[in-house]
Amino acid sequence: MNAVTEGKSEGVTDGVVRYEVDGPVATVTMNRPEYRNAQNSAMTYALDAAFTRAVDDDEVKVVVLAGAGKHFSAGHDIGTPGRDVDVSFERKAVLWWDHVGKPGGDGRYAREMEVYLGMCRRWREIPKPTIAMVQGACIAGGLMLAWVCDLIVAADDAFFADPVVRMGIPGVEYFAHPWVLGPRAAKEFLFTGDRFDARRALELGMVNRVVPRASLREEALAMAGRIARMPSFGLALAKRAVNQAEDQMGLRSGMDSVFGLHHFAHAHNAETSADSLGGMDARSMRNASGS
Protein backbone atom coordinates (compact mmCIF):
# COMPACT_ATOMS: atom_id res chain seq x y z
CA MET A 1 0.00 0.00 0.00
CA ASN A 2 1.40 3.38 -0.96
CA ALA A 3 1.14 6.13 1.61
CA VAL A 4 0.83 8.73 -1.16
CA THR A 5 -1.55 8.17 -4.04
CA GLU A 6 -2.44 10.13 -7.12
CA GLY A 7 -5.82 10.88 -8.60
CA LYS A 8 -8.67 13.33 -8.85
CA SER A 9 -10.36 14.33 -5.63
CA GLU A 10 -13.38 12.21 -6.47
CA GLY A 11 -11.23 9.09 -6.99
CA VAL A 12 -11.07 6.19 -4.56
CA THR A 13 -7.72 5.77 -2.84
CA ASP A 14 -6.27 3.84 0.07
CA GLY A 15 -3.34 6.14 0.74
CA VAL A 16 -3.14 8.29 3.88
CA VAL A 17 -2.26 11.27 1.67
CA ARG A 18 -3.58 12.08 -1.80
CA TYR A 19 -1.59 14.13 -4.33
CA GLU A 20 -3.10 15.95 -7.32
CA VAL A 21 -1.79 18.51 -9.78
CA ASP A 22 -3.95 20.85 -11.81
CA GLY A 23 -1.82 23.22 -13.88
CA PRO A 24 0.48 25.17 -11.55
CA VAL A 25 -1.29 24.07 -8.35
CA ALA A 26 -0.59 20.88 -6.37
CA THR A 27 -3.18 19.79 -3.83
CA VAL A 28 -2.00 17.59 -0.96
CA THR A 29 -4.92 16.00 0.88
CA MET A 30 -4.80 14.22 4.22
CA ASN A 31 -6.88 11.11 3.67
CA ARG A 32 -7.96 9.54 6.96
CA PRO A 33 -11.49 10.98 7.08
CA GLU A 34 -12.80 8.12 9.20
CA TYR A 35 -10.46 9.34 11.97
CA ARG A 36 -10.96 13.06 11.28
CA ASN A 37 -7.53 13.06 9.59
CA ALA A 38 -5.67 12.35 12.82
CA GLN A 39 -1.95 12.61 12.13
CA ASN A 40 0.12 9.49 12.71
CA SER A 41 3.74 9.07 11.63
CA ALA A 42 2.71 7.41 8.37
CA MET A 43 0.75 10.53 7.46
CA THR A 44 3.63 12.80 8.50
CA TYR A 45 6.07 11.10 6.17
CA ALA A 46 3.51 10.83 3.39
CA LEU A 47 2.90 14.57 3.67
CA ASP A 48 6.62 15.17 3.51
CA ALA A 49 6.93 13.01 0.39
CA ALA A 50 4.07 14.91 -1.26
CA PHE A 51 5.51 18.31 -0.37
CA THR A 52 8.93 17.23 -1.65
CA ARG A 53 7.35 16.13 -4.90
CA ALA A 54 5.66 19.51 -5.29
CA VAL A 55 8.91 21.37 -4.59
CA ASP A 56 10.78 19.27 -7.15
CA ASP A 57 8.17 19.83 -9.87
CA ASP A 58 9.06 23.04 -11.72
CA GLU A 59 5.52 23.24 -13.12
CA VAL A 60 4.03 23.51 -9.62
CA LYS A 61 4.03 27.04 -8.24
CA VAL A 62 1.59 26.83 -5.32
CA VAL A 63 0.72 24.02 -2.89
CA VAL A 64 -2.70 23.61 -1.24
CA LEU A 65 -3.04 21.48 1.92
CA ALA A 66 -6.48 19.96 2.50
CA GLY A 67 -8.22 17.36 4.64
CA ALA A 68 -10.62 14.80 3.18
CA GLY A 69 -14.12 14.57 4.58
CA LYS A 70 -15.90 16.69 7.15
CA HIS A 71 -12.81 17.85 9.08
CA PHE A 72 -9.38 19.27 8.27
CA SER A 73 -7.59 17.52 11.15
CA ALA A 74 -8.42 16.59 14.72
CA GLY A 75 -4.72 16.62 15.62
CA HIS A 76 -2.18 13.97 16.53
CA ASP A 77 -3.25 10.34 16.47
CA ILE A 78 -3.51 9.32 20.11
CA GLY A 79 -5.93 6.43 19.79
CA THR A 80 -6.82 5.07 16.32
CA PRO A 81 -5.97 1.54 15.12
CA GLY A 82 -3.32 3.18 12.91
CA ARG A 83 -1.41 4.77 15.76
CA ASP A 84 2.24 4.01 15.02
CA VAL A 85 4.12 5.67 17.87
CA ASP A 86 6.49 2.68 18.15
CA VAL A 87 7.26 2.30 14.44
CA SER A 88 10.54 3.39 12.88
CA PHE A 89 10.59 5.57 9.77
CA GLU A 90 13.45 6.98 7.75
CA ARG A 91 14.12 10.29 9.48
CA LYS A 92 14.06 13.45 7.35
CA ALA A 93 13.75 16.51 9.57
CA VAL A 94 16.48 16.34 12.22
CA LEU A 95 19.76 14.48 12.68
CA TRP A 96 18.98 12.44 15.79
CA TRP A 97 18.70 8.79 16.72
CA ASP A 98 15.60 6.64 16.24
CA HIS A 99 13.06 6.93 19.03
CA VAL A 100 12.01 3.27 18.96
CA GLY A 101 13.33 1.33 21.95
CA LYS A 102 14.52 4.41 23.81
CA PRO A 103 13.21 4.70 27.37
CA GLY A 104 11.10 7.48 28.83
CA GLY A 105 11.78 11.05 27.82
CA ASP A 106 14.54 10.00 25.42
CA GLY A 107 12.07 8.27 23.11
CA ARG A 108 9.34 10.91 23.37
CA TYR A 109 11.76 13.75 22.76
CA ALA A 110 13.40 12.06 19.77
CA ARG A 111 10.08 11.22 18.11
CA GLU A 112 8.35 14.56 18.62
CA MET A 113 11.42 16.57 17.62
CA GLU A 114 11.42 14.69 14.31
CA VAL A 115 7.79 13.88 13.52
CA TYR A 116 6.13 17.04 14.82
CA LEU A 117 8.40 20.03 15.51
CA GLY A 118 11.10 19.20 12.97
CA MET A 119 8.69 18.35 10.17
CA CYS A 120 6.61 21.47 10.73
CA ARG A 121 9.70 23.65 10.59
CA ARG A 122 10.80 21.86 7.43
CA TRP A 123 7.42 22.48 5.78
CA ARG A 124 7.38 26.13 6.83
CA GLU A 125 10.49 26.56 4.67
CA ILE A 126 8.94 25.10 1.49
CA PRO A 127 10.07 27.66 -1.13
CA LYS A 128 6.65 27.75 -2.77
CA PRO A 129 3.54 29.44 -1.33
CA THR A 130 1.33 27.08 0.63
CA ILE A 131 -2.37 27.50 1.40
CA ALA A 132 -4.27 25.55 4.07
CA MET A 133 -7.87 24.86 3.07
CA VAL A 134 -9.61 24.28 6.41
CA GLN A 135 -13.09 22.95 7.16
CA GLY A 136 -14.58 21.53 10.34
CA ALA A 137 -12.18 20.66 13.14
CA CYS A 138 -8.66 22.04 13.23
CA ILE A 139 -7.54 20.94 16.66
CA ALA A 140 -4.13 20.87 18.42
CA GLY A 141 -1.80 19.12 15.95
CA GLY A 142 -4.18 20.20 13.20
CA LEU A 143 -3.34 23.81 14.06
CA MET A 144 0.33 23.03 13.46
CA LEU A 145 -0.43 21.73 9.98
CA ALA A 146 -2.42 24.85 9.12
CA TRP A 147 0.01 27.27 10.75
CA VAL A 148 3.02 26.13 8.72
CA CYS A 149 1.14 27.21 5.61
CA ASP A 150 1.55 30.77 4.37
CA LEU A 151 -2.16 31.45 3.97
CA ILE A 152 -5.29 29.91 5.48
CA VAL A 153 -8.67 29.89 3.76
CA ALA A 154 -11.32 28.66 6.21
CA ALA A 155 -14.85 27.45 5.64
CA ASP A 156 -17.54 29.08 7.74
CA ASP A 157 -17.96 25.79 9.61
CA ALA A 158 -14.30 25.63 10.67
CA PHE A 159 -13.38 25.70 14.35
CA PHE A 160 -10.02 25.79 16.08
CA ALA A 161 -8.61 24.86 19.50
CA ASP A 162 -5.49 23.78 21.33
CA PRO A 163 -6.91 21.98 24.37
CA VAL A 164 -3.73 20.16 25.47
CA VAL A 165 -3.45 22.17 28.69
CA ARG A 166 -6.13 19.66 29.80
CA MET A 167 -3.24 17.16 29.67
CA GLY A 168 -1.08 19.50 31.73
CA ILE A 169 0.94 20.36 28.59
CA PRO A 170 1.51 24.03 27.63
CA GLY A 171 0.47 23.81 23.97
CA VAL A 172 1.40 21.71 20.98
CA GLU A 173 4.98 21.09 19.84
CA TYR A 174 5.05 23.75 17.11
CA PHE A 175 4.32 26.58 19.54
CA ALA A 176 3.45 29.48 17.23
CA HIS A 177 0.50 30.67 19.32
CA PRO A 178 1.73 34.16 20.36
CA TRP A 179 2.75 34.95 16.79
CA VAL A 180 -0.39 33.78 14.99
CA LEU A 181 -2.94 34.72 17.68
CA GLY A 182 -1.26 37.46 19.71
CA PRO A 183 -0.24 36.95 23.35
CA ARG A 184 -3.58 37.66 25.03
CA ALA A 185 -5.68 35.55 22.68
CA ALA A 186 -3.07 32.80 22.91
CA LYS A 187 -3.37 32.80 26.69
CA GLU A 188 -7.17 32.83 26.52
CA PHE A 189 -7.43 29.83 24.27
CA LEU A 190 -4.70 27.87 26.05
CA PHE A 191 -6.04 28.65 29.54
CA THR A 192 -9.64 27.74 28.67
CA GLY A 193 -9.11 25.04 26.06
CA ASP A 194 -12.17 26.49 24.32
CA ARG A 195 -12.60 26.32 20.60
CA PHE A 196 -13.06 29.43 18.47
CA ASP A 197 -14.80 29.75 15.16
CA ALA A 198 -13.62 30.94 11.76
CA ARG A 199 -14.93 34.48 12.23
CA ARG A 200 -12.98 34.86 15.46
CA ALA A 201 -9.90 33.45 13.72
CA LEU A 202 -10.35 36.08 10.99
CA GLU A 203 -10.64 38.88 13.56
CA LEU A 204 -7.37 37.73 15.12
CA GLY A 205 -5.62 37.61 11.76
CA MET A 206 -5.04 33.85 12.01
CA VAL A 207 -6.88 33.13 8.76
CA ASN A 208 -6.93 35.14 5.55
CA ARG A 209 -10.48 34.49 4.39
CA VAL A 210 -13.68 32.85 5.55
CA VAL A 211 -15.91 31.46 2.82
CA PRO A 212 -19.05 29.30 2.63
CA ARG A 213 -18.28 25.62 3.06
CA ALA A 214 -19.71 24.82 -0.36
CA SER A 215 -17.23 27.14 -2.11
CA LEU A 216 -14.14 26.41 0.00
CA ARG A 217 -12.26 24.46 -2.64
CA GLU A 218 -13.19 26.89 -5.41
CA GLU A 219 -12.06 29.91 -3.37
CA ALA A 220 -8.80 28.33 -2.21
CA LEU A 221 -7.87 27.19 -5.71
CA ALA A 222 -8.77 30.59 -7.14
CA MET A 223 -6.38 32.22 -4.68
CA ALA A 224 -3.72 29.66 -5.55
CA GLY A 225 -4.21 30.37 -9.26
CA ARG A 226 -3.84 34.09 -8.75
CA ILE A 227 -0.61 33.63 -6.78
CA ALA A 228 0.70 31.21 -9.42
CA ARG A 229 0.81 34.06 -11.94
CA MET A 230 3.65 35.66 -9.98
CA PRO A 231 7.30 34.74 -10.70
CA SER A 232 8.39 31.69 -8.71
CA PHE A 233 11.69 33.11 -7.52
CA GLY A 234 10.05 36.32 -6.38
CA LEU A 235 7.50 34.32 -4.40
CA ALA A 236 10.24 32.23 -2.80
CA LEU A 237 12.20 35.31 -1.77
CA ALA A 238 9.09 37.10 -0.44
CA LYS A 239 8.20 34.04 1.63
CA ARG A 240 11.73 33.80 2.99
CA ALA A 241 11.72 37.51 3.85
CA VAL A 242 8.57 37.24 5.97
CA ASN A 243 9.75 34.02 7.64
CA GLN A 244 13.06 35.63 8.53
CA ALA A 245 11.25 38.62 10.00
CA GLU A 246 9.13 36.29 12.17
CA ASP A 247 12.25 34.51 13.35
CA GLN A 248 13.85 37.85 14.24
CA MET A 249 10.74 38.51 16.31
CA GLY A 250 11.56 35.39 18.30
CA LEU A 251 9.45 32.69 16.66
CA ARG A 252 12.15 30.04 16.34
CA SER A 253 13.89 30.64 19.66
CA GLY A 254 10.58 30.91 21.48
CA MET A 255 9.48 27.63 19.98
CA ASP A 256 12.70 25.96 21.14
CA SER A 257 12.15 27.09 24.70
CA VAL A 258 8.53 25.93 24.80
CA PHE A 259 9.42 22.56 23.29
CA GLY A 260 11.50 21.98 26.42
CA LEU A 261 8.53 22.91 28.63
CA HIS A 262 6.33 20.62 26.55
CA HIS A 263 8.58 17.66 27.31
CA PHE A 264 9.00 18.60 30.95
CA ALA A 265 5.18 18.34 31.14
CA HIS A 266 5.23 14.91 29.46
CA ALA A 267 7.83 13.72 31.98
CA HIS A 268 5.84 15.13 34.91
CA ASN A 269 2.73 13.34 33.68
CA ALA A 270 4.60 10.06 33.33
CA GLU A 271 5.71 10.31 36.95
CA THR A 272 2.46 11.49 38.50
CA SER A 273 -0.37 10.04 36.39
CA ALA A 274 -1.30 7.10 34.21
CA ASP A 275 0.86 8.11 31.25
CA SER A 276 2.67 10.97 29.53
CA LEU A 277 -0.69 12.38 28.33
CA GLY A 278 -2.00 12.86 31.87
CA GLY A 279 -4.46 9.98 31.51
CA MET A 280 -6.34 11.70 28.67
CA ASP A 281 -7.27 9.96 25.42
CA ALA A 282 -8.89 10.99 22.16
CA ARG A 283 -12.43 10.50 23.46
CA SER A 284 -11.93 12.39 26.73
CA MET A 285 -10.21 15.26 24.93
CA ARG A 286 -13.03 15.47 22.38
CA ASN A 287 -15.70 15.39 25.07
CA ALA A 288 -13.94 18.04 27.14
CA SER A 289 -13.57 20.43 24.21
CA GLY A 290 -17.10 19.92 22.92
CA SER A 291 -15.88 19.02 19.42
Side-chain angles (χ1 to χ4, degrees):
M1 179 186 297
N2 291 327
V4 182
T5 60
E6 294 183 67
K8 297 297 184 183
S9 59
E10 66 270 22
V12 176
T13 178
D14 59 1
V16 295
V17 167
R18 195 165 62 224
Y19 183 85
E20 311 159 56
V21 175
D22 185 5
V25 179
T27 301
V28 176
T29 305
M30 296 176 282
N31 193 40
R32 299 184 77 205
E34 68 276 27
Y35 302 118
R36 305 202 305 172
N37 294 316
Q39 180 193 6
N40 57 8
S41 293
M43 177 181 283
T44 295
Y45 288 98
L47 284 170
D48 190 69
F51 290 142
T52 300
R53 184 172 179 178
V55 170
D56 288 341
D57 186 345
D58 288 341
E59 299 302 313
V60 170
K61 297 186 69 176
V62 182
V63 183
V64 174
L65 176 63
K70 185 177 179 181
H71 300 286
F72 177 75
S73 176
H76 299 332
D77 186 345
I78 60 172
T80 83
R83 191 180 186 213
D84 50 13
V85 65
D86 293 323
V87 178
S88 294
F89 290 82
E90 182 183 359
R91 295 177 302 285
K92 300 282 189 180
V94 297
L95 189 60
W96 202 265
W97 49 70
D98 189 7
H99 70 283
V100 174
K102 302 298 188 297
D106 186 346
R108 283 192 299 272
Y109 187 86
R111 179 173 184 266
E112 294 191 0
M113 183 168 52
E114 161 73 13
V115 175
Y116 298 144
L117 178 60
M119 279 295 188
C120 283
R121 283 177 161 172
R122 174 174 163 88
W123 300 336
R124 177 176 176 255
E125 299 302 322
I126 291 171
K128 299 181 179 183
T130 54
I131 301 173
M133 185 170 71
V134 178
Q135 81 283 2
C138 183
I139 305 296
L143 287 174
M144 294 166 46
L145 297 173
W147 285 350
V148 298
C149 294
D150 302 304
L151 306 176
I152 301 175
V153 179
D156 53 11
D157 68 348
F159 58 93
F160 308 87
D162 185 358
V164 300
V165 174
R166 299 185 193 282
M167 297 177 173
I169 297 171
V172 290
E173 296 85 353
Y174 184 83
F175 190 84
H177 306 58
W179 289 269
V180 298
L181 295 170
R184 294 198 185 280
K187 289 176 182 178
E188 176 186 348
F189 295 121
L190 286 167
F191 291 175
T192 65
D194 291 344
R195 70 191 201 185
F196 55 104
D197 63 19
R199 289 293 170 188
R200 179 67 168 138
L202 184 65
E203 290 173 1
L204 293 168
M206 196 195 89
V207 306
N208 297 86
R209 296 184 187 178
V210 177
V211 301
R213 175 68 183 89
S215 60
L216 176 62
R217 182 177 179 84
E218 178 186 356
E219 294 282 351
L221 293 180
M223 177 181 283
R226 182 175 180 183
I227 294 169
R229 294 197 290 270
M230 301 291 276
S232 294
F233 191 50
L235 289 169
L237 293 179
K239 175 169 181 170
R240 193 164 184 82
V242 176
N243 282 2
Q244 287 176 345
E246 276 191 307
D247 288 340
Q248 289 172 343
M249 290 187 281
L251 174 64
R252 187 176 182 89
S253 59
M255 207 171 281
D256 281 336
S257 68
V258 178
F259 190 65
L261 296 175
H262 181 99
H263 279 275
F264 177 66
H266 273 314
H268 176 76
N269 284 342
E271 288 191 21
T272 62
S273 65
D275 53 42
S276 65
L277 301 181
M280 301 291 282
D281 58 20
R283 183 180 297 277
S284 60
M285 289 291 285
R286 184 169 63 248
N287 291 344
S289 65
S291 62

